[in-house]
Amino acid sequence: MSDPVPEGSEPHDPLTRRLTVLSGPSGVGKSTVVAEIRRSHPRVWLSVSVTTRPPRPGETHGVQYYFVDDAGFDRLVDEGELLEWAEFAGNRYGTPRRPVEERLARGEPVLLEIDLQGARQVRRSMAEARLVFLAPPSWQELVRRLTGRGTEPPEVVQRRLDAARVELAAEKEFDVTLVNTSVQDVCDELLALMVVH
Ligand code: 5GP
């Protein structure tokens, strides 16, 4: 598997090298993969993002996300508490900086599940992070998953499809592509990538 050192960066900083970023279009199954890792490998630490999006049924504050209002999110941005953040389909999402930095400083692996804009910010600020692109088996399958979720109004689904089209074109910016044909296989491949050799 390719493991390029981006141009202009220092070769292999052993700390940021432990940062793995999982990205890919909305609906591709990133959160299912992350939920499966959480279930099967509870010792793997996963960053919990902050979002202004309302919780979906079954989501718990502090587990899938920290749910905050706009003012709360503004405060985190102003105080420099977010490692990266992005607006996605009308809501804002960000990665709390401190827990990530603390774990990297201890040499522990960190996994972020974030959108493309966030992945690009991480690429700029932590050049040694490994960026993993989760791809759908096909465009038809992605449309089926996004429309079948049934939790979002049609205009939100449409915005996510528009975003997915743009995100699919970004695959070449990533170090590794994993195709989500089987959640278990993707988890195994991802966990293998997170081990620093
Ligand atoms: P969802 O609303 O489906 O949970 O997430 C929508 C998108 O936001 C997904 O592509 C997800 O990866 C992304 N996302 C979740 N947390 C973060 C974050 O902390 N930062 C960024 N940039 N994107 C995030």
Side-chain angles (χ1 to χ4, degrees):
M1 232 163 248
S2 68
D3 188 15
V5 175
E7 250 174 69
S9 69
E10 294 298 317
H12 295 298
D13 171 348
L15 293 184
T16 55
R17 191 69 190 75
R18 286 182 179 269
L19 181 61
T20 305
V21 175
L22 180 66
S23 196
S26 176
V28 75
K30 299 186 295 289
S31 51
T32 308
V33 167
V34 165
E36 176 56 20
I37 289 180
R38 194 177 273 129
R39 191 195 64 76
S40 61
H41 291 77
R43 290 178 59 199
V44 172
W45 187 75
L46 296 153
S47 166
V48 179
S49 297
V50 179
T51 185
T52 58
R53 161 168 84 59
R56 293 191 185 122
E59 288 184 333
T60 307
H61 183 75
V63 178
Q64 288 83 12
Y65 286 105
Y66 297 106
F67 297 98
V68 298
D69 59 14
D70 271 316
F73 201 97
D74 285 343
R75 206 172 315 120
L76 292 170
V77 172
D78 291 347
E79 291 169 1
E81 292 286 344
L82 300 181
L83 185 67
E84 59 73 38
W85 69 271
E87 187 165 336
F88 183 90
N91 294 299
R92 288 183 292 169
Y93 300 80
T95 304
R97 176 190 298 280
R98 250 179 294 174
V100 169
E101 289 184 346
E102 280 166 14
R103 278 169 180 86
L104 291 176
R106 291 205 294 268
E108 296 170 14
V110 165
L111 179 62
L112 305 184
E113 184 247 292
I114 59 179
D115 84 323
L116 174 63
Q117 306 160 68
R120 285 181 175 140
Q121 289 175 50
V122 172
R123 169 65 94 211
R124 280 195 295 273
S125 60
M126 294 173 157
E128 295 300 323
R130 182 182 261 143
L131 268 54
V132 179
F133 189 85
L134 190 61
S138 66
W139 172 252
Q140 286 78 2
E141 178 61 15
L142 188 63
V143 173
R144 198 184 65 74
R145 290 184 194 180
L146 273 174
T147 48
R149 196 185 252 165
T151 50
E152 262 94 16
E155 63 274 16
V156 173
V157 171
Q158 190 53 52
R159 284 164 92 171
R160 282 172 186 259
L161 282 172
D162 293 345
R165 230 181 277 275
V166 174
E167 291 192 312
L168 278 179
E171 180 188 340
K172 55 189 177 301
E173 298 171 35
F174 284 70
D175 299 315
V176 181
T177 294
L178 302 179
V179 179
N180 194 9
T181 41
S182 139
V183 173
Q184 200 52 58
D185 289 353
V186 169
C187 287
D188 291 347
E189 287 161 352
L190 195 57
L191 288 163
L193 284 171
M194 288 175 68
V195 177
V196 177
H197 301 288

